[in-house]
Amino acid sequence: MTVSILNSFSIKRYLGYKQEIQFTLVKPFICAVVMGIGCLVIYKLGMLLLPINAIWTILAILIGVCIYGIVLIFTKTITEDELYAMPKGTALIGFLKKVHLL
């Protein structure tokens, strides 16, 4: 986060470009916090059920990726046009529309 803020100041000073702080820093930070809380809850609950660290670590990471992606879409941090620009973006958009996330 600190590096992003310092980078933003340098870009503004040398190029005169003002970044959209909300889309560049705030919304991704909120998404990361939600993902982190989700991963922690999954890991802790999983360890109560079956105390095998490796399994719950891997599952928490995989589910965390899904949580982060879903929160990016819900907070409108990533747009449909940006999804189209990604590799396999058309297929991803089709899937997201099918499950009513987009």
Side-chain angles (χ1 to χ4, degrees):
M1 187 75 166
T2 303
V3 173
S4 296
I5 292 170
L6 291 173
N7 188 34
S8 176
F9 287 140
S10 294
I11 289 172
K12 184 177 181 181
R13 180 185 308 155
Y14 294 113
L15 299 177
Y17 174 75
K18 185 177 179 189
Q19 287 183 305
E20 301 90 9
I21 300 297
Q22 184 166 349
F23 289 105
T24 309
L25 299 174
V26 176
K27 283 188 174 184
F29 179 74
I30 291 169
C31 295
V33 168
V34 171
M35 177 198 64
I37 292 169
C39 288
L40 184 65
V41 168
I42 289 165
Y43 177 79
K44 293 290 185 180
L45 289 177
M47 287 297 282
L48 289 175
L49 296 173
L50 183 66
I52 300 175
N53 186 37
I55 291 173
W56 293 110
T57 301
I58 292 169
L59 280 175
I61 291 170
L62 293 174
I63 294 171
V65 169
C66 296
I67 291 171
Y68 188 73
I70 291 169
V71 176
L72 280 175
I73 293 167
F74 278 144
T75 59
K76 307 246 187 280
T77 304
I78 190 165
T79 64
E80 190 171 335
D81 292 335
E82 291 171 331
L83 288 172
Y84 272 119
M86 294 173 60
K88 301 287 184 182
T90 306
L92 182 60
I93 290 172
F95 172 75
L96 292 172
K97 284 184 177 182
K98 191 174 189 179
V99 295
H100 305 289
L101 289 176
L102 191 64

